[in-house]
Amino acid sequence: MMKKKALSLMSLKLIVLVLSSIAWGQQSMPLLIQENFDFARDQYKTLAKHIPADKMPQNYNPETGKIDARNIEWWCSGFYPGSLWLIYEQTKDPEIHQEALRALKVIEPNKTFTGNHDLGFMMYCSFGNAYRITGERAYKDVLFQSAKSLTTRYRPTIRAIQSWDKNKYWECPVIIDNMMNLEMLNWVSDNGGDKKFKDLAIIHSNTTLKNHFRSDYSSYHVVDYHPENGTVNRKATWQGAANTSSWARGQGWALYGFTMMYRDTRDEKYLKQAEGIAKFILNHPNLPEDKIPYWDFDAPLIPFAVRDASAGALIASALLELGQYVKAEEKQWYVEHAEKMIRSLASNDYRSKPGENGGFLLTHSTGALPLNSEIDIPIIYADYYFLEALKRYKDWYL
Ligand code: GLY
């Protein structure tokens, strides 16, 4: 009886939502979300046909019509399996399921990889989703091993996890992106694994809080440390327009990372930081009307600079989570912006046409403009965070 009543209340709520958005002349979010997951299912069946068995799709080059598939050690190898799991969760499509299982097997050897800090991206987005959806014990073991591998990069002198190895540019670099890898450490500690992993995530976050941010809550991309004594060598960029600029995806990683750290620790200083970053992004005079950032908030040539749809997708996903932790007024502000970003990404301005772009969902992402790499094209992580944003909206706001 109670169940029936709850069900009919839910359907009533859904009907009201659908009708009110029809009245506003735009697709309702329930329909938009459903339509995008169906679209993703069909696109990813196309994508699956065009990648070598031992590699993961990275991007699509519209000029050559070719998909760039990369070795599993590339930092993005978890996004394709992760996207497949997110699509499978919503569609229960058996072909997508098979491909998700296959892709997981291909990247599993990464669990012992220690060559950089990207294990969280690679293994939590993939095996983390797979475990959440299936509860398969073997996936948990992979996550435990991956977290252990990641912690080999913790450097006590700098009180952080080293992002990249020493090279001709950097002594001991830590990039803001690294905040994203901490989620796996927290998860393992909170789910029966080594408790020290979360301690390291907290120490890393505190060091990042101290050294990566400017007074307006924008973030440097790279902080390079002296490994022998832990002092800061320099603050700079690798993928941004300038050392002092605000690289768009970096601001997104910061927002997502500190929101996640608040979720996992309930430490108010992380929430305050996330809110400061959100305000920096959303109030920025260079944030375009459609809310999809240029590749850098200080990019030369704005308003003619290229966009980064991946930054839009990941910021939308992060804002939806941040909305869970704040008072009603702020929540509405964050969710309205996230919805606007999702609607922009789902529009013809950013979304592929059916069957096009090799099967990728979104175009207009920018990987590393100063390195002349992946400019204004479909890139796998934009798809992943777009799907995650759709799921979060559905789970939390419908
Ligand atoms: N280094 C990860 C990124 O390009 O965002």
Side-chain angles (χ1 to χ4, degrees):
M1 185 66 188
M2 278 297 282
K3 244 185 175 169
K4 242 186 176 171
K5 202 169 165 193
L7 212 67
S8 59
L9 267 177
M10 258 175 65
S11 354
L12 194 68
K13 197 174 151 200
L14 210 67
I15 291 166
V16 170
L17 278 167
V18 171
L19 288 178
S20 55
S21 47
I22 289 170
W24 285 104
Q26 57 182 0
Q27 194 178 28
S28 73
M29 284 305 279
L31 291 182
L32 181 146
I33 291 167
Q34 175 74 51
E35 194 272 326
N36 275 283
F37 275 110
D38 291 346
F39 170 74
R41 175 197 60 211
D42 297 345
Q43 286 290 98
Y44 269 51
K45 285 184 188 179
T46 301
L47 184 53
K49 287 195 192 95
H50 295 107
I51 48 172
D54 59 342
K55 293 191 172 166
M56 293 292 123
Q58 168 66 19
N59 65 52
Y60 174 80
N61 183 333
E63 277 167 27
T64 60
K66 288 212 169 87
I67 290 171
D68 177 9
R70 297 196 179 171
N71 293 335
I72 63 164
E73 291 88 7
W74 181 241
W75 74 276
C76 299
S77 62
F79 293 121
Y80 175 63
S83 296
L84 288 163
W85 281 104
L86 290 172
I87 298 166
Y88 169 67
E89 186 180 25
Q90 301 297 327
T91 64
K92 297 288 177 287
D93 187 278
E95 229 177 291
I96 293 289
H97 189 213
Q98 279 313 306
E99 180 64 359
L101 293 169
R102 186 196 71 78
L104 275 193
K105 279 215 188 77
V106 177
I107 68 159
E108 187 176 332
N110 278 337
K111 66 188 175 191
T112 53
F113 179 71
T114 56
N116 63 40
H117 69 144
D118 289 315
L119 264 284
F121 281 120
M122 292 148 100
M123 305 310 265
Y124 195 69
C125 297
S126 52
F127 282 88
N129 275 305
Y131 181 75
R132 182 180 59 73
I133 293 165
T134 65
E136 176 66 50
R137 172 73 221 197
Y139 299 159
K140 194 173 187 179
D141 294 341
V142 171
L143 289 163
F144 278 30
Q145 176 57 53
S146 305
K148 194 168 165 205
S149 302
L150 175 56
T151 59
T152 63
R153 300 188 65 83
Y154 180 75
R155 307 287 175 250
T157 49
I158 66 165
R159 297 180 68 74
I161 292 164
Q162 181 171 357
S163 294
W164 307 318
D165 290 344
K166 179 181 161 120
N167 59 37
K168 64 180 174 181
Y169 304 105
W170 315 106
E171 278 290 313
C172 184
V174 177
I175 63 175
I176 190 64
D177 325 27
N178 204 342
M179 287 300 300
M180 301 295 286
N181 296 306
L182 308 180
E183 190 170 6
M184 179 169 71
L185 300 183
N186 293 344
W187 185 87
V188 168
S189 292
D190 290 343
N191 286 275
D194 193 330
K195 296 277 179 228
K196 283 196 300 292
F197 294 173
K198 189 167 181 175
D199 296 340
L200 298 185
I202 291 169
I203 296 171
H204 181 103
S205 302
N206 294 342
T207 302
T208 303
L209 213 47
K210 185 163 138 230
N211 293 330
H212 257 87
F213 290 93
R214 309 179 185 106
S215 57
D216 61 2
Y217 289 94
S218 69
S219 165
Y220 289 95
H221 184 201
V222 190
V223 175
D224 193 32
Y225 291 90
H226 291 294
E228 53 304 330
N229 61 16
T231 55
V232 172
N233 183 13
R234 65 191 171 110
K235 301 186 181 189
T237 196
W238 183 243
Q239 281 154 271
N243 291 342
T244 51
S245 76
S246 300
W247 175 51
R249 203 160 54 257
Q251 311 315 302
W253 297 141
L255 174 65
Y256 193 119
F258 279 95
T259 305
M260 172 275 295
M261 283 306 296
Y262 175 71
R263 177 225 303 152
D264 289 347
T265 63
R266 299 290 151 169
D267 185 331
E268 289 291 328
K269 70 174 178 290
Y270 298 148
L271 181 61
K272 180 174 169 276
Q273 191 68 17
E275 290 197 89
I277 301 164
K279 286 181 182 116
F280 172 82
I281 293 172
L282 300 182
N283 289 329
H284 202 289
N286 286 341
L287 183 67
E289 192 57 33
D290 68 3
K291 309 297 175 197
I292 305 303
Y294 296 103
W295 69 277
D296 190 302
F297 283 95
D298 306 298
L301 304 181
I302 287 175
F304 303 108
V306 291
R307 304 295 184 90
D308 182 10
S310 76
L314 106 94
I315 289 168
S317 187
L319 288 173
L320 291 173
E321 175 155 29
L322 186 55
Q324 295 286 291
Y325 308 133
V326 294
K327 294 202 189 79
E329 203 177 313
E330 276 104 36
K331 172 179 175 161
Q332 192 187 345
W333 194 60
Y334 295 144
V335 176
E336 272 172 13
H337 276 83
E339 181 175 331
K340 175 75 189 162
M341 289 169 185
I342 291 172
R343 285 188 181 280
S344 295
L345 295 171
S347 76
N348 289 336
D349 292 342
Y350 293 91
R351 206 177 83 166
S352 302
K353 294 198 174 56
E356 291 192 352
N357 285 333
F360 283 83
L361 307 180
L362 301 180
T363 185
H364 299 309
S365 289
T366 297
L369 191 138
L371 309 176
N372 199 21
S373 170
E374 301 183 294
I375 300 169
D376 198 22
I377 60 171
I379 307 181
I380 193 71
Y381 42 82
D383 287 8
Y384 176 84
Y385 289 103
F386 177 59
L387 293 167
E388 186 186 73
L390 294 171
K391 172 188 158 49
R392 286 180 165 189
Y393 196 103
K394 180 178 170 186
D395 287 353
W396 296 336
Y397 300 104
L398 290 189

